[in-house]
Amino acid sequence: MAYSATYNVSIKAPQSKVFEYLADVSRHGEWGSADDRMKITAEKPGPPAVGARYQADALLNGKQNKSAVTITALEPPKQVAFDAEDSNSVFHHEFILTPEGEGTHFERRVTMTKGPFYFPLILRIFKSTVVKNYDGAMKNAKAKLEAG
């Protein structure tokens, strides 16, 4: 039983601006779920690049959860992908950006690529919380980008 989900939002901002913001992984705490209280820092200074690594510290179910984030794909201004690995699992996040009128369609695909056999079941049981978290993050990114 695998886990994957897709989230979508339309953003009234140019694709290049959306890409630049989302590719800067160190800024993900700005638009992530408020419940996560994510702080993320680059291991080495510099622009986003495939192989760049970040250390993330956030709350997961009310407990501290540290993870290593590695950018796995960058295709300006169309795609950003990264793996987030904590002590239990690896989740692959893929951001796909496409022009939509004068704005940008932002699709986020999340796939568990490694984890305990029961994680997909747990994620389905708590689906409403997971969806609220990801939808909230997508709405936060939209609000930040549309505000300038």
Side-chain angles (χ1 to χ4, degrees):
M1 177 185 323
Y3 174 81
S4 66
T6 302
Y7 303 88
N8 295 277
V9 69
S10 295
I11 300 173
K12 294 176 186 168
Q15 185 178 0
S16 59
K17 179 181 176 183
V18 175
F19 176 85
E20 183 179 306
Y21 185 65
L22 298 176
D24 187 349
V25 176
S26 66
R27 297 185 75 181
H28 284 202
E30 293 177 8
W31 58 272
S33 168
D35 293 340
D36 291 348
R37 298 185 201 158
M38 179 181 288
K39 294 178 184 160
I40 187 163
T41 55
E43 288 185 351
K44 295 180 183 175
V50 172
R53 291 179 47 87
Y54 302 78
Q55 293 302 312
D57 191 2
L59 294 179
L60 180 63
N61 298 322
K63 296 179 182 176
Q64 286 303 126
N65 185 56
K66 295 181 185 257
S67 60
V69 176
T70 305
I71 295 177
T72 59
L74 280 175
E75 187 183 340
K78 300 176 183 179
Q79 179 194 29
V80 177
F82 60 87
D83 288 340
E85 181 174 1
D86 64 16
S87 62
N88 292 315
S89 59
V90 177
F91 281 82
H92 182 71
H93 298 258
E94 186 176 11
F95 302 164
I96 299 160
L97 307 172
T98 53
E100 185 175 72
E102 293 187 23
T104 304
H105 179 80
F106 170 20
E107 178 179 319
R108 181 179 194 169
R109 298 177 188 164
V110 181
T111 305
M112 185 181 82
T113 58
K114 177 183 168 192
F117 72 93
Y118 57 85
F119 261 31
L121 179 60
I122 298 295
L123 292 167
R124 282 180 174 73
I125 290 170
F126 293 101
K127 182 178 180 177
S128 65
T129 301
V130 172
V131 168
K132 178 184 171 195
N133 184 341
Y134 281 112
D135 278 345
M138 300 290 283
K139 289 175 186 172
N140 290 344
K142 173 184 173 72
K144 289 269 186 191
L145 283 156
E146 290 181 354

